[in-house]
Amino acid sequence: MIGIGFSGPKVSLEKLPGWEPESWGWHGDDGNTFCCQMTGKRYGPTFTTNDVVGCGINFMTGSAFFTKNGVHQGNAFRDLKDINVYPSVGMKRPHAQLTVNFGQRPFVFDIDDMIKREREAISDAVISTSIANLHSHLDENSFVKELVAQFFGHDGFVETAKAFTDELRAESRALELDTDKSQPTLSMEEDLDATNRQHIRAAIMDGDIDKAIKRTHAYYPQVLRDQSHVYFRLRCQKFVEMIRQTAELLELPPAKATEPSNGHTPGHMDDGQTEMEVDDPKNEAEDWDKMEMEESDLSVKYTELLEETIQYGQELKQEFQNDSSTEAAFKEIFSLFMYEDPRKSPQAHLLDRASRVPVAEELNSAILVSLGKSSSAALEILYQQTEALVDILTEEGGAGALINVRNDYLR
């Protein structure tokens, strides 16, 4: 006689699962299930030697099920809430032997397919959920368009926002909808502000930090004074850009092959005869002089830029020497000097052009806050709140355990 199931930490180990409080089990001799008592309930088939039986708990639904030889036997228990249990196996016959699999080998029951179906059911429920409580006067399609348009304007993508609005109007005309109905647009003031922020963002993405700082001072003079950490990050980014320029000079341009002005390949005659090659010492000397001059100019340029970078780093360190919060950042960017080619160093990610994006976003957020606006677009806030909610649901063993917002909905 064998019983399997799950039990709480205080349950006696001298009885089969299901016969005591905080203990649930399925017994092989009669096929009954036992829920915290000695009285059983008819559930499924019996099981014996050479059978493979399994037990699972669906914490999302608060139910438990059993399997036999890979076949789901249906839900055995329900309303399992706030339980802290462990897998349990009980045997009445002395010296009986069995093998237990906790996942170290593939299960006979296709648990992956079950999870896939559960995930699909959750996804269908999410998609079919009404947004009326979020935005009562807009349908889902219009609500999403509002979010997208607001995101473009918030992050300073002016041309993209205008193109998006024009496309919405064209779509409305094509579908013979009410074209007079207001479409997401930017006001004159918002349009100018978004354009200014777009120019600043573009300068950062081009690696021209001086231009970004200059334009920020011109359009929003208070921002970098009030947000010293943003100003410091911009200065650090300029140092990184100087390191990148210096590193790029390490790559010598490939030698360009010289071709005769008549377009023919040297050593080949029009009549098919081979032309004898004759070295011209004068031309060869001129070529070597030119090559040496190019290498010399490159070396001088590299040295000058390296000295400028060192000087800039010293000035930056001097300017923020009394700010202890900058120590980690200085340690990170100055470590680039320790390597002959910083692009192959552990800090090479700093030189990746993608590293400009968070700098641009942080400055854009600081500008928006200075204007009394939210530092994040509504779409970003919605995403952040959704991830936080899913995390909470996951901790509680709910449906969130099978949802990955980034992988399931943003890719």
Side-chain angles (χ1 to χ4, degrees):
M1 179 178 178
I2 298 177
I4 68 168
F6 46 95
S7 306
K10 298 181 180 180
V11 173
S12 171
L13 300 180
E14 298 179 356
K15 295 182 180 181
L16 290 177
W19 280 355
E20 291 193 78
E22 294 189 6
S23 181
W24 296 260
W26 178 33
H27 294 184
D29 62 323
D30 54 17
N32 291 344
T33 55
F34 294 81
C35 178
C36 308
Q37 58 184 350
M38 296 289 291
T39 303
K41 180 180 179 181
R42 186 63 186 166
Y43 170 67
T46 61
F47 55 89
T48 184
T49 305
N50 296 325
D51 284 328
V52 179
V53 291
C55 175
I57 301 177
N58 187 335
F59 288 98
M60 294 186 300
T61 60
S63 61
F65 62 92
F66 294 98
T67 65
K68 177 182 177 180
N69 298 326
V71 179
H72 194 290
Q73 300 300 315
N75 288 331
F77 308 111
R78 300 181 186 276
D79 299 323
L80 301 174
K81 299 179 180 179
D82 301 324
I83 59 173
N84 180 23
V85 293
Y86 301 87
S88 302
V89 178
M91 297 172 288
K92 295 286 285 185
R93 181 182 299 174
H95 309 297
Q97 295 183 358
L98 52 83
T99 301
V100 180
N101 179 14
F102 292 107
Q104 66 270 28
R105 299 183 306 277
F107 293 121
V108 174
F109 174 69
D110 191 351
I111 188 68
D112 292 332
D113 181 67
M114 180 180 179
I115 294 175
K116 178 182 178 181
R117 286 186 280 108
E118 290 282 353
R119 182 178 284 114
E120 290 173 348
I122 294 170
S123 181
D124 291 342
V126 170
I127 293 173
S128 62
T129 299
S130 172
I131 66 163
N133 293 333
L134 296 176
H135 217 300
S136 58
H137 71 280
L138 288 177
D139 59 35
E140 182 174 338
N141 189 40
S142 299
F143 179 60
V144 171
K145 291 175 180 177
E146 286 277 0
L147 286 175
V148 174
Q150 195 269 345
F151 172 80
F152 288 145
H154 179 278
D155 278 27
F157 298 113
V158 182
E159 299 303 322
T160 305
K162 291 180 178 178
F164 182 69
T165 301
D166 292 341
E167 184 176 336
L168 293 182
R169 290 199 179 98
E171 182 184 83
S172 297
R173 287 193 294 269
L175 298 176
E176 298 182 352
L177 299 177
D178 183 7
T179 55
D180 294 331
K181 185 178 179 180
S182 62
Q183 299 288 352
T185 57
L186 296 173
S187 67
M188 290 291 291
E189 182 179 352
E190 289 176 330
D191 188 44
L192 177 60
D193 167 61
T195 300
N196 291 338
R197 289 187 288 112
Q198 182 186 42
H199 290 161
I200 294 172
R201 182 187 185 92
I204 295 176
M205 296 307 297
D206 289 340
D208 194 342
I209 307 303
D210 285 338
K211 181 187 288 187
I213 293 176
K214 182 178 180 180
R215 286 187 168 177
T216 303
H217 280 311
Y219 301 145
Y220 314 100
Q222 78 286 0
V223 170
L224 298 183
R225 289 198 299 266
D226 296 342
Q227 304 285 345
S228 60
H229 66 283
V230 178
Y231 175 63
F232 171 71
R233 188 165 186 184
L234 285 168
R235 294 289 304 277
C236 287
Q237 186 62 34
K238 180 183 177 181
F239 179 83
V240 170
E241 298 295 343
M242 296 177 75
I243 290 288
R244 178 187 291 109
Q245 294 174 21
T246 304
E248 288 173 350
L249 290 178
L250 293 174
E251 294 182 352
L252 293 176
K256 294 183 179 180
T258 58
E259 297 182 357
S261 58
N262 61 8
H264 293 292
T265 303
H268 194 275
M269 299 292 287
D270 288 340
D271 58 4
Q273 298 178 359
T274 303
E275 179 184 25
M276 181 180 296
E277 295 183 355
V278 179
D279 292 334
D280 187 339
K282 180 179 179 181
N283 291 339
E284 185 176 349
E286 289 178 353
D287 290 340
W288 278 107
D289 289 343
K290 182 179 179 181
M291 185 179 297
E292 290 177 355
M293 185 178 299
E294 290 177 349
E295 292 181 356
S296 176
D297 291 344
L298 190 63
S299 177
V300 170
K301 187 175 181 180
Y302 174 82
T303 302
E304 290 177 349
L305 184 55
L306 184 61
E307 291 176 351
E308 290 177 10
T309 304
I310 294 174
Q311 182 178 353
Y312 182 83
Q314 292 173 339
E315 293 172 353
L316 182 61
K317 180 68 173 176
Q318 179 69 25
E319 181 177 354
F320 291 91
Q321 62 178 340
N322 296 325
D323 188 348
S324 59
S325 65
T326 63
E327 292 180 3
F330 277 134
K331 183 178 180 180
E332 186 175 41
I333 63 175
F334 288 163
S335 67
L336 292 169
F337 268 125
M338 299 173 60
Y339 303 89
E340 182 177 355
D341 188 349
R343 294 168 300 180
K344 299 178 182 179
S345 71
Q347 305 300 333
H349 63 277
L350 296 175
L351 302 175
D352 190 329
R353 284 173 168 76
S355 65
R356 297 168 178 170
V357 175
V359 178
E361 291 180 346
E362 184 171 358
L363 178 56
N364 184 65
S365 296
I367 293 172
L368 288 167
V369 170
S370 73
L371 297 174
K373 300 179 180 180
S374 172
S375 61
S376 299
L379 188 60
E380 294 175 296
I381 295 174
L382 180 60
Y383 165 70
Q384 293 165 359
Q385 290 178 339
T386 301
E387 278 219 318
L389 178 59
V390 169
D391 288 342
I392 293 174
L393 293 175
T394 299
E395 292 174 359
E396 296 177 352
L402 295 181
I403 295 177
N404 187 308
V405 178
R406 184 180 298 275
N407 293 336
D408 296 343
Y409 298 99
L410 300 182
R411 290 184 178 179

